[in-house]
Amino acid sequence: MRNGRVRVFLLRRRAVAAVGALVLAGAIFWAVSYPAGTPASAVQRQLPIYSVEREQKMCSVSFDAAWGNEDTQALIDILARYNVKATFFCVGDWAEKYPESVKALHDAGHEVMSHSNHHDHYNALTAQQIVEDVTASNRRIAAATGVTPTLIRCPYGEYDDHVISAIRSIGMEPDTLSYREKWLLIIRMLPLVENNFNLCELGPRSTGKSHLYKEISPNSILVSGGQTTVANLFYNMGRKTVGLVGLWDCVAFDEVAGIKFKDKDGVQIMKDYMASGSFARGKEEKAASASMVFVGNINQSVDVLLKTSSLFDPFPPEMGTDTAFLDRIHCYLPGWEIPKFRPEHFTDDYGFITDYLAEFIRELRKEQYGDALDKYFRLGSNLNQRDTIAVRRMVDGLVKLVYPDGEFTKEQLEEILKLALEMRRRVKEQLKKLGGMEFYDVNFSYIDKESFEESYVSVPEQGGGKLIPEGMCNPGQIYTVSQGKSGMIGVFRLESQMLPGNGKFERTGLGSDREAKEATNTAFNFLKANAGHISGTISTTTKDYIVNYQDLQGIGITTRLALPTLIALASIALNKPTVSSLAVMGEISIAGTMMKVDELANALQVCLDSGAKKVLLPIASAADLGLVPSDLIGCFNLIFYQSAEDAVFKALGVE
């Protein structure tokens, strides 16, 4: 990397078993652009962008997918192991043949873009043929992922001005908004077309979060951060006048971190209003239709917030930790996905006249399409009443905004339904982190009334890729779920090596954590004392052992490492992997005494979210299963052990 520019190196291999030719490169984005440092006058060709300006050092990984899917999952697992996200350029024929692989790539958090429809030579096609080919490819990929590609890599690396112009003509232009970004900007408008709709958007600065509510409609008002009063917002008892919620269609709070009520009961009154659209003051109950919007800035990366706190962290504590308040938010818009506005985002052509647009969207508040989904779909069992209300309101609003004539297809409605489920699930995921098992039911889904097929909707930042991969792990690789230093429950991975030596035991990844090191010593000492009870082939005197410990969610290393370390050591010593998709839970003392799992229900929910299908549990925890929801228990094959040796045998699949 020089002068902040990513250097791109293109490496090709003829045979990559996973998904075709492996290409380590920056994604080749099509645009009218010239390489940095080259005067436009010196080059007349339209060129793809081979590098992108970045402040930090980085490179991108991309793959071309055109044939074979035998090892697609293995590739996904490898990328997940190193926390790498890639761009997959897929041929439309491949996407139609292996839709499950395309979906798996998308669900794992990778970009899925176009590599043409049939892998033809674009230089030999007419502009119309190119357009038809790219459109068909995009349609096939979108059918599997729900996302329309915005980028393309031409087959054989062939392109010229003719090809690029044809591709640009259908909006394959990275310098403008992506398809998903357009949807997110439309979702911002929901409070303007829906009565009593509660929306939250937190993200970086300069993305236009507050601009819409301040400038687009004269029927909305932006309340700057700082103190407010119940009288100003709801009802003035002295003057007998209704506050902002009765005067405006939408009340937006800028910089949520600064929201403060002078009145002690301010937050409670706001909760009542957000739930029912009414509030009581004195002897009267007042009703209003104003939507509530909360916008603000996130000063840390989303990854950090997800690992250390919640996505509601920027809220003041009386709101950001109050699950009853947060549960009343219908929609959490991921503001971090919206780009910062630049001059090229604004048109020099005709645009909307805001006065007309404002009246149009105000009239839309009178229309109702919330029941539109009932014709084709029904919602899954994990949505409670508040979830259902939120999703229906979002479906109603998006239909009004995108299809105001009421004409839409089943596929178009399904696209809207997926977005609505995602926006509400984002709220629920954070409630689960804050409120525990009360909000465990986050696996939102919808059911096709014709095929009875149930489809699940995830949130991108949580990652569709599972921390605990499917299939067999390498010998010595163990996943354990327990409480970390922060008090949160998370997933930890152990990876082991065995070398010729004289019985040394080394640990990496624990830093200076004394308790964690003591737990690992307990495991090695137990193995030295009881190796013969497990297998006569295990040697603790002629071999050296190394175990690396990884905190996969950044919650602080756990101290409950004796049992998983023992299993990891036995696994690498015997060169035998554990059973597939296994999460190890529980702990042992130096004497081999079993310790049951704390917060079993919460721990099992983490196992489910992380991809575990089998859970190794101490028999002592069986008594606590009565406190765990039955549908959560039904998600696993529970394997109970009675002793440390029994845990090793069952983890390795030895009866």
Side-chain angles (χ1 to χ4, degrees):
M1 178 169 176
R2 277 183 205 169
N3 300 323
R5 179 168 292 276
V6 178
R7 308 286 297 176
V8 176
F9 302 89
L10 218 59
L11 308 176
R12 298 189 183 273
R13 292 177 61 185
R14 288 189 177 275
V16 176
V19 288
L22 170 62
V23 180
L24 295 177
I28 300 178
F29 300 154
W30 295 111
V32 179
S33 180
Y34 304 105
T38 304
S41 60
V43 181
Q44 299 301 317
R45 295 178 62 200
Q46 299 185 48
L47 297 175
I49 298 174
Y50 286 93
S51 59
V52 182
E53 295 285 353
R54 289 288 185 269
E55 293 181 0
Q56 65 273 51
K57 296 181 178 180
M58 62 172 59
C59 65
S60 59
V61 179
S62 65
F63 298 81
D64 292 352
W67 66 89
N69 79 327
E70 295 81 5
D71 297 319
T72 301
Q73 188 58 52
L75 179 57
I76 293 173
D77 294 341
I78 291 170
L79 293 172
R81 186 180 306 166
Y82 297 99
N83 195 27
V84 172
K85 301 300 182 189
T87 301
F88 289 80
F89 292 93
C90 300
V91 174
D93 290 340
W94 190 87
E96 186 170 61
K97 188 175 182 179
Y98 306 112
E100 71 285 354
S101 294
V102 178
K103 186 177 186 303
L105 292 169
H106 170 74
D107 290 347
H110 303 293
E111 283 188 320
V112 183
M113 298 296 169
S114 174
H115 191 39
S116 81
N117 199 38
H118 303 301
H119 210 272
D120 295 325
H121 292 272
Y122 273 12
N123 286 354
L125 302 181
T126 67
Q128 183 61 31
Q129 288 172 326
I130 294 171
V131 167
E132 291 174 355
D133 187 87
V134 176
T135 302
S137 168
N138 290 349
R139 191 180 299 116
R140 286 175 163 182
I141 293 170
T145 66
V147 178
T148 301
T150 56
L151 307 173
I152 184 170
R153 173 175 285 149
C154 288
Y156 309 103
E158 295 177 354
Y159 64 89
D160 55 20
D161 287 1
H162 160 73
V163 172
I164 295 178
S165 296
I167 293 173
R168 292 190 65 209
S169 72
I170 57 172
M172 303 287 281
E173 174 64 80
D175 287 339
T176 59
L177 299 171
S178 70
Y179 187 76
R180 177 169 169 85
E181 288 166 352
K182 293 174 184 176
W183 269 115
L184 296 179
L185 291 174
I186 291 173
I187 291 172
R188 273 184 177 171
M189 298 182 68
L190 285 175
L192 300 176
V193 300
E194 283 292 298
N195 295 318
N196 300 113
F197 185 81
N198 309 315
L199 178 144
C200 167
E201 181 187 349
L202 304 178
R205 294 168 176 80
S206 303
T207 59
K209 294 186 295 293
S210 59
H211 179 83
L212 175 71
Y213 310 108
K214 185 178 181 181
E215 303 292 346
I216 298 301
S217 174
N219 304 312
S220 68
I221 186 171
L222 183 70
V223 181
S224 299
Q227 287 193 343
T228 187
T229 63
V230 171
N232 179 56
L233 194 57
F234 296 104
Y235 191 76
N236 190 312
M237 297 280 291
R239 298 178 181 177
K240 306 293 182 184
T241 55
V242 178
L244 298 178
V245 296
L247 301 175
W248 304 89
D249 291 347
C250 176
V251 179
F253 293 88
D254 195 12
E255 300 297 342
V256 295
I259 298 177
K260 290 182 181 178
F261 277 97
K262 290 183 179 179
D263 316 83
K264 293 182 179 179
D265 57 350
V267 174
Q268 185 59 49
I269 295 174
M270 181 178 282
K271 286 196 292 189
D272 293 342
Y273 176 75
M274 290 170 66
S276 63
S278 62
F279 54 92
R281 297 301 290 159
K283 299 179 180 179
E284 298 182 67
E285 184 170 338
K286 301 291 183 181
S289 61
S291 295
M292 306 288 277
V293 176
F294 304 91
V295 298
N297 299 318
I298 289 180
N299 298 317
Q300 304 177 72
S301 71
V302 173
D303 289 342
V304 171
L305 284 178
L306 287 172
K307 291 175 180 178
T308 59
S309 56
S310 83
L311 294 178
F312 288 113
D313 187 67
F315 276 82
E318 59 269 25
M319 294 180 179
T321 58
D322 185 342
T323 55
F325 171 84
L326 299 175
D327 197 20
R328 287 158 167 78
I329 295 175
H330 299 122
C331 170
Y332 191 134
L333 183 65
W336 52 88
E337 291 191 41
I338 296 175
K340 295 188 178 186
F341 282 148
R342 303 186 301 274
E344 56 264 32
H345 288 136
F346 298 90
T347 183
D348 295 325
D349 248 316
Y350 293 105
F352 286 116
I353 300 173
T354 56
D355 291 344
Y356 292 158
L357 178 63
E359 288 305 310
F360 168 69
I361 58 181
R362 192 175 206 193
E363 283 297 309
L364 288 179
R365 295 172 77 90
K366 302 174 184 178
E367 303 291 329
Q368 295 292 327
Y369 292 105
D371 295 334
L373 63 90
D374 294 331
K375 182 178 179 181
Y376 303 109
F377 309 102
R378 61 183 176 90
L379 300 176
S381 59
N382 268 355
L383 282 84
N384 62 28
Q385 182 63 14
R386 280 186 177 164
D387 302 327
T388 301
I389 291 172
V391 169
R392 287 187 177 278
R393 288 191 176 182
M394 279 184 276
V395 170
D396 178 52
L398 289 173
V399 168
K400 289 190 288 191
L401 285 166
V402 183
Y403 308 107
D405 59 355
E407 300 291 328
F408 47 85
T409 65
K410 177 183 178 181
E411 290 72 24
Q412 290 168 333
L413 185 64
E414 185 176 17
E415 183 177 30
I416 285 174
L417 178 56
K418 287 179 180 178
L419 284 166
L421 287 165
E422 178 200 325
M423 299 300 143
R424 174 60 186 177
R425 178 169 175 173
R426 184 169 289 105
V427 175
K428 208 65 177 290
E429 287 280 1
Q430 302 313 303
L431 287 172
K432 185 182 73 174
K433 295 186 73 170
L434 295 167
M437 288 308 298
E438 181 184 354
F439 303 99
Y440 82 96
D441 47 353
V442 298
N443 292 312
F444 285 5
S445 63
Y446 63 94
I447 300 162
D448 189 310
K449 285 188 172 182
E450 293 180 4
S451 65
F452 298 103
E453 180 183 359
E454 186 169 14
S455 302
Y456 290 85
V457 177
S458 60
V459 290
E461 65 273 7
Q462 298 288 138
K466 302 300 185 181
L467 294 175
I468 301 175
E470 293 186 19
M472 303 290 279
C473 295
N474 297 324
Q477 185 173 323
I478 306 294
Y479 291 87
T480 184
V481 173
S482 58
Q483 193 175 70
K485 282 289 187 183
S486 65
M488 299 173 65
I489 298 172
V491 184
F492 305 88
R493 180 171 63 212
L494 286 68
E495 293 182 311
S496 313
Q497 285 185 304
M498 182 179 68
L499 304 167
N502 54 11
K504 287 192 276 186
F505 175 46
E506 295 182 19
R507 301 142 304 184
T508 61
L510 297 180
S512 58
D513 193 305
R514 182 178 57 81
E515 290 183 71
K517 289 180 178 179
E518 287 179 356
T520 62
N521 286 334
T522 295
F524 192 62
N525 291 333
F526 186 92
L527 183 67
K528 288 193 292 185
N530 301 277
H533 298 160
I534 299 173
S535 173
T537 62
I538 297 177
S539 173
T540 56
T541 56
T542 62
K543 303 290 183 182
D544 289 345
Y545 297 87
I546 304 170
V547 181
N548 174 256
Y549 300 86
Q550 300 172 51
D551 174 8
L552 296 183
Q553 295 171 296
I555 63 172
I557 198 69
T558 182
T559 58
R560 296 207 156 198
L561 291 173
L563 182 66
T565 301
L566 175 64
I567 296 172
L569 291 170
S571 173
I572 194 66
L574 298 171
N575 194 31
K576 186 174 180 59
T578 65
V579 296
S580 62
S581 306
L582 179 71
V584 174
M585 295 172 63
E587 183 63 316
I588 57 171
S589 68
I590 185 66
T593 304
M594 298 296 101
M595 302 178 191
K596 71 176 188 176
V597 179
D598 296 326
E599 299 183 51
L600 180 60
N602 288 334
L604 286 174
Q605 182 62 47
V606 172
C607 290
L608 178 63
D609 296 341
S610 303
K613 292 183 172 60
K614 303 179 183 73
V615 178
L616 191 68
L617 279 174
I619 192 66
S621 290
D624 295 336
L625 289 176
L627 304 175
V628 181
S630 57
D631 55 344
L632 179 58
I633 296 174
C635 295
F636 306 104
N637 176 10
L638 299 180
I639 305 170
F640 292 99
Y641 59 89
Q642 300 183 10
S643 65
E645 295 94 336
D646 189 35
V648 173
F649 294 146
K650 288 179 175 175
L652 301 182
V654 178
E655 298 296 332

